[in-house]
Tab-separated table of all heavy atoms in Angstrom:
chain	number	residue	atom	x	y	z
A	1	ASP	N	20.432	-18.531	-16.140
A	1	ASP	CA	19.762	-19.596	-15.424
A	1	ASP	C	18.481	-19.133	-14.772
A	1	ASP	O	18.082	-17.981	-14.892
A	1	ASP	CB	20.717	-20.209	-14.393
A	1	ASP	CG	21.258	-19.164	-13.420
A	1	ASP	OD1	20.457	-18.799	-12.449
A	1	ASP	OD2	22.409	-18.749	-13.560
A	2	ALA	N	17.800	-20.074	-14.086
A	2	ALA	CA	16.449	-19.767	-13.495
A	2	ALA	C	16.561	-19.545	-12.038
A	2	ALA	O	15.623	-19.827	-11.300
A	2	ALA	CB	15.468	-20.870	-13.818
A	3	THR	N	17.676	-19.052	-11.525
A	3	THR	CA	17.729	-18.651	-10.149
A	3	THR	C	17.230	-17.238	-10.025
A	3	THR	O	17.800	-16.306	-10.534
A	3	THR	CB	19.207	-18.724	-9.599
A	3	THR	OG1	19.756	-20.023	-9.810
A	3	THR	CG2	19.236	-18.398	-8.104
A	4	PRO	N	16.035	-17.066	-9.378
A	4	PRO	CA	15.317	-15.790	-9.539
A	4	PRO	C	15.677	-14.747	-8.459
A	4	PRO	O	16.115	-15.041	-7.363
A	4	PRO	CB	13.888	-16.227	-9.358
A	4	PRO	CG	13.992	-17.306	-8.320
A	4	PRO	CD	15.295	-18.057	-8.622
A	5	ILE	N	15.462	-13.524	-8.851
A	5	ILE	CA	15.204	-12.442	-7.832
A	5	ILE	C	13.829	-12.716	-7.227
A	5	ILE	O	12.897	-13.007	-7.942
A	5	ILE	CB	15.256	-11.048	-8.534
A	5	ILE	CG1	16.680	-10.750	-9.031
A	5	ILE	CG2	14.733	-9.991	-7.578
A	5	ILE	CD1	16.702	-9.463	-9.889
A	6	VAL	N	13.752	-12.665	-5.904
A	6	VAL	CA	12.516	-12.930	-5.257
A	6	VAL	C	11.886	-11.644	-4.684
A	6	VAL	O	12.531	-10.921	-3.918
A	6	VAL	CB	12.679	-13.978	-4.116
A	6	VAL	CG1	11.396	-14.209	-3.340
A	6	VAL	CG2	13.223	-15.280	-4.609
A	7	VAL	N	10.673	-11.351	-5.164
A	7	VAL	CA	9.926	-10.265	-4.590
A	7	VAL	C	9.025	-10.813	-3.539
A	7	VAL	O	8.124	-11.652	-3.797
A	7	VAL	CB	9.018	-9.567	-5.701
A	7	VAL	CG1	8.219	-8.468	-5.111
A	7	VAL	CG2	9.963	-9.032	-6.855
A	8	TRP	N	9.265	-10.402	-2.285
A	8	TRP	CA	8.436	-10.899	-1.180
A	8	TRP	C	7.512	-9.781	-0.672
A	8	TRP	O	7.985	-8.784	-0.154
A	8	TRP	CB	9.357	-11.414	-0.043
A	8	TRP	CG	8.561	-11.856	1.152
A	8	TRP	CD1	7.345	-12.459	1.159
A	8	TRP	CD2	8.977	-11.718	2.556
A	8	TRP	NE1	6.976	-12.767	2.476
A	8	TRP	CE2	7.939	-12.269	3.356
A	8	TRP	CE3	10.061	-11.158	3.179
A	8	TRP	CZ2	7.989	-12.293	4.714
A	8	TRP	CZ3	10.172	-11.189	4.567
A	8	TRP	CH2	9.113	-11.796	5.328
A	9	ASN	N	6.216	-10.009	-0.870
A	9	ASN	CA	5.268	-9.090	-0.244
A	9	ASN	C	5.200	-9.409	1.191
A	9	ASN	O	4.399	-10.243	1.599
A	9	ASN	CB	3.885	-9.271	-0.955
A	9	ASN	CG	3.894	-8.906	-2.414
A	9	ASN	OD1	3.781	-9.774	-3.299
A	9	ASN	ND2	4.094	-7.638	-2.725
A	10	SER	N	6.035	-8.742	1.938
A	10	SER	CA	6.287	-9.104	3.367
A	10	SER	C	5.057	-8.787	4.195
A	10	SER	O	4.912	-9.299	5.296
A	10	SER	CB	7.502	-8.398	3.891
A	10	SER	OG	7.421	-7.013	3.734
A	11	THR	N	4.178	-7.917	3.726
A	11	THR	CA	2.908	-7.624	4.422
A	11	THR	C	1.876	-7.047	3.402
A	11	THR	O	2.297	-6.464	2.404
A	11	THR	CB	3.112	-6.627	5.565
A	11	THR	OG1	1.849	-6.333	6.218
A	11	THR	CG2	3.705	-5.306	5.094
A	12	ASN	N	0.647	-7.302	3.700
A	12	ASN	CA	-0.420	-6.683	2.881
A	12	ASN	C	-0.739	-5.250	3.383
A	12	ASN	O	-1.341	-4.475	2.660
A	12	ASN	CB	-1.702	-7.470	2.983
A	12	ASN	CG	-1.869	-8.424	1.809
A	12	ASN	OD1	-1.734	-9.620	1.993
A	12	ASN	ND2	-2.101	-7.918	0.625
A	13	ARG	N	-0.308	-4.947	4.589
A	13	ARG	CA	-0.687	-3.678	5.176
A	13	ARG	C	0.015	-2.532	4.542
A	13	ARG	O	1.222	-2.619	4.228
A	13	ARG	CB	-0.372	-3.721	6.691
A	13	ARG	CG	-0.906	-2.436	7.426
A	13	ARG	CD	-0.817	-2.607	8.897
A	13	ARG	NE	-1.493	-1.475	9.583
A	13	ARG	CZ	-1.661	-1.374	10.890
A	13	ARG	NH1	-1.250	-2.312	11.698
A	13	ARG	NH2	-2.306	-0.332	11.360
A	14	CYS	N	-0.618	-1.390	4.404
A	14	CYS	CA	-0.031	-0.179	3.836
A	14	CYS	C	-0.740	0.979	4.362
A	14	CYS	O	-1.927	0.992	4.651
A	14	CYS	CB	-0.159	-0.207	2.269
A	14	CYS	SG	0.708	1.183	1.503
A	15	ASN	N	0.054	2.103	4.596
A	15	ASN	CA	-0.517	3.330	5.149
A	15	ASN	C	-1.219	4.189	4.088
A	15	ASN	O	-1.791	5.229	4.359
A	15	ASN	CB	0.578	4.137	5.816
A	15	ASN	CG	1.710	4.522	4.869
A	15	ASN	OD1	2.214	3.707	4.077
A	15	ASN	ND2	2.191	5.778	4.918
A	16	LEU	N	-1.139	3.755	2.783
A	16	LEU	CA	-1.793	4.478	1.707
A	16	LEU	C	-2.807	3.528	1.023
A	16	LEU	O	-2.835	2.349	1.288
A	16	LEU	CB	-0.795	5.041	0.710
A	16	LEU	CG	0.229	6.072	1.235
A	16	LEU	CD1	1.185	6.490	0.159
A	16	LEU	CD2	-0.469	7.256	1.861
A	17	SER	N	-3.487	4.042	0.069
A	17	SER	CA	-4.475	3.260	-0.742
A	17	SER	C	-4.355	3.657	-2.205
A	17	SER	O	-5.155	4.430	-2.691
A	17	SER	CB	-5.898	3.475	-0.214
A	17	SER	OG	-6.820	2.685	-0.938
A	18	CYS	N	-3.350	3.132	-2.846
A	18	CYS	CA	-3.027	3.636	-4.212
A	18	CYS	C	-3.909	2.976	-5.266
A	18	CYS	O	-4.276	1.786	-5.191
A	18	CYS	CB	-1.527	3.265	-4.490
A	18	CYS	SG	-0.422	3.906	-3.248
A	19	GLN	N	-4.277	3.763	-6.264
A	19	GLN	CA	-5.196	3.348	-7.318
A	19	GLN	C	-4.676	2.131	-8.051
A	19	GLN	O	-5.499	1.260	-8.473
A	19	GLN	CB	-5.447	4.466	-8.234
A	19	GLN	CG	-6.308	5.619	-7.711
A	19	GLN	CD	-6.646	6.638	-8.827
A	19	GLN	OE1	-6.820	6.274	-9.975
A	19	GLN	NE2	-6.753	7.870	-8.419
A	20	HIS	N	-3.383	2.003	-8.351
A	20	HIS	CA	-2.870	0.997	-9.146
A	20	HIS	C	-2.208	-0.134	-8.366
A	20	HIS	O	-1.419	-0.912	-8.897
A	20	HIS	CB	-1.850	1.539	-10.179
A	20	HIS	CG	-0.826	2.460	-9.525
A	20	HIS	ND1	-0.294	2.231	-8.321
A	20	HIS	CD2	-0.266	3.616	-9.947
A	20	HIS	CE1	0.593	3.245	-7.987
A	20	HIS	NE2	0.589	4.106	-9.029
A	21	CYS	N	-2.534	-0.294	-7.084
A	21	CYS	CA	-1.931	-1.351	-6.240
A	21	CYS	C	-2.300	-2.715	-6.786
A	21	CYS	O	-3.503	-3.009	-6.978
A	21	CYS	CB	-2.395	-1.189	-4.806
A	21	CYS	SG	-1.693	-2.430	-3.695
A	22	TYR	N	-1.320	-3.592	-6.971
A	22	TYR	CA	-1.631	-4.906	-7.550
A	22	TYR	C	-2.072	-5.915	-6.495
A	22	TYR	O	-2.440	-7.044	-6.836
A	22	TYR	CB	-0.424	-5.428	-8.342
A	22	TYR	CG	0.847	-5.646	-7.523
A	22	TYR	CD1	1.107	-6.829	-6.905
A	22	TYR	CD2	1.862	-4.658	-7.559
A	22	TYR	CE1	2.294	-6.988	-6.206
A	22	TYR	CE2	3.032	-4.847	-6.904
A	22	TYR	CZ	3.285	-6.009	-6.185
A	22	TYR	OH	4.441	-6.194	-5.485
A	23	ILE	N	-2.030	-5.588	-5.172
A	23	ILE	CA	-2.488	-6.503	-4.148
A	23	ILE	C	-3.615	-5.929	-3.290
A	23	ILE	O	-3.963	-6.471	-2.274
A	23	ILE	CB	-1.362	-7.084	-3.252
A	23	ILE	CG1	-0.761	-5.932	-2.422
A	23	ILE	CG2	-0.335	-7.840	-4.062
A	23	ILE	CD1	0.222	-6.506	-1.338
A	24	ASN	N	-4.123	-4.763	-3.734
A	24	ASN	CA	-5.286	-4.124	-3.007
A	24	ASN	C	-4.988	-3.891	-1.528
A	24	ASN	O	-5.802	-4.170	-0.644
A	24	ASN	CB	-6.512	-5.005	-3.125
A	24	ASN	CG	-7.016	-5.175	-4.574
A	24	ASN	OD1	-7.217	-4.186	-5.256
A	24	ASN	ND2	-7.106	-6.396	-5.030
A	25	ALA	N	-3.757	-3.424	-1.251
A	25	ALA	CA	-3.366	-3.275	0.150
A	25	ALA	C	-4.150	-2.107	0.843
A	25	ALA	O	-4.544	-1.138	0.236
A	25	ALA	CB	-1.874	-2.903	0.183
A	26	GLU	N	-4.380	-2.313	2.163
A	26	GLU	CA	-5.101	-1.354	3.027
A	26	GLU	C	-4.417	-1.213	4.309
A	26	GLU	O	-3.606	-2.068	4.712
A	26	GLU	CB	-6.567	-1.798	3.184
A	26	GLU	CG	-7.381	-1.864	1.887
A	26	GLU	CD	-8.791	-2.317	2.180
A	26	GLU	OE1	-9.298	-2.067	3.322
A	26	GLU	OE2	-9.413	-2.883	1.277
A	27	ASP	N	-4.749	-0.168	5.051
A	27	ASP	CA	-4.132	0.095	6.375
A	27	ASP	C	-4.934	-0.643	7.456
A	27	ASP	O	-5.703	-0.046	8.157
A	27	ASP	CB	-4.072	1.600	6.638
A	27	ASP	CG	-3.213	1.909	7.834
A	27	ASP	OD1	-2.572	0.963	8.398
A	27	ASP	OD2	-3.173	3.147	8.246
A	28	LYS	N	-4.722	-1.933	7.515
A	28	LYS	CA	-5.319	-2.747	8.560
A	28	LYS	C	-4.479	-4.031	8.771
A	28	LYS	O	-3.595	-4.377	7.968
A	28	LYS	CB	-6.779	-3.196	8.103
A	28	LYS	CG	-6.757	-4.109	6.879
A	28	LYS	CD	-8.210	-4.512	6.474
A	28	LYS	CE	-8.198	-5.479	5.334
A	28	LYS	NZ	-9.593	-5.880	4.913
A	29	GLU	N	-4.763	-4.671	9.878
A	29	GLU	CA	-4.036	-5.935	10.191
A	29	GLU	C	-4.582	-7.061	9.289
A	29	GLU	O	-5.808	-7.176	9.077
A	29	GLU	CB	-4.220	-6.313	11.631
A	29	GLU	CG	-3.592	-5.290	12.652
A	29	GLU	CD	-2.061	-5.408	12.659
A	29	GLU	OE1	-1.538	-6.388	12.143
A	29	GLU	OE2	-1.455	-4.445	13.140
A	30	TYR	N	-3.676	-7.910	8.839
A	30	TYR	CA	-4.009	-9.052	7.982
A	30	TYR	C	-3.586	-10.339	8.669
A	30	TYR	O	-2.480	-10.389	9.200
A	30	TYR	CB	-3.375	-8.957	6.609
A	30	TYR	CG	-3.907	-7.906	5.680
A	30	TYR	CD1	-3.472	-6.603	5.737
A	30	TYR	CD2	-4.880	-8.246	4.737
A	30	TYR	CE1	-3.979	-5.648	4.874
A	30	TYR	CE2	-5.396	-7.316	3.874
A	30	TYR	CZ	-4.941	-5.994	3.953
A	30	TYR	OH	-5.432	-5.050	3.090
A	31	ALA	N	-4.468	-11.274	8.682
A	31	ALA	CA	-4.163	-12.595	9.309
A	31	ALA	C	-3.282	-13.416	8.413
A	31	ALA	O	-3.320	-13.303	7.155
A	31	ALA	CB	-5.463	-13.370	9.619
A	32	GLY	N	-2.491	-14.338	8.986
A	32	GLY	CA	-1.769	-15.332	8.294
A	32	GLY	C	-0.442	-14.932	7.650
A	32	GLY	O	0.166	-15.688	6.883
A	33	GLU	N	0.039	-13.740	8.021
A	33	GLU	CA	1.342	-13.318	7.506
A	33	GLU	C	2.439	-14.030	8.311
A	33	GLU	O	2.316	-14.478	9.411
A	33	GLU	CB	1.459	-11.796	7.595
A	33	GLU	CG	0.436	-11.120	6.707
A	33	GLU	CD	0.597	-9.589	6.619
A	33	GLU	OE1	1.434	-9.074	7.388
A	33	GLU	OE2	-0.093	-8.985	5.830
C-alpha cells in the first residue's frame, strides 16, 4: 500500500557542511521551522 515511511528534515541546521548534502544545510539558525 501507499502508507509511507516519512523522512522529516526536522531542521536545516547542521554542524558540518558536506559536499553531497541534498538540502544545502549550514550551521546557522533558519526561520520558519
Side-chain angles (χ1 to χ4, degrees):
D1 56 78
T3 304
I5 292 171
V6 177
V7 178
W8 177 34
N9 298 110
S10 56
T11 181
N12 265 109
R13 187 170 187 174
C14 185
N15 61 315
L16 299 178
S17 182
C18 306
Q19 290 186 31
H20 48 39
C21 180
Y22 61 85
I23 63 169
N24 298 305
E26 297 179 26
D27 192 4
K28 66 179 185 180
E29 294 289 343
Y30 288 85
E33 297 186 353

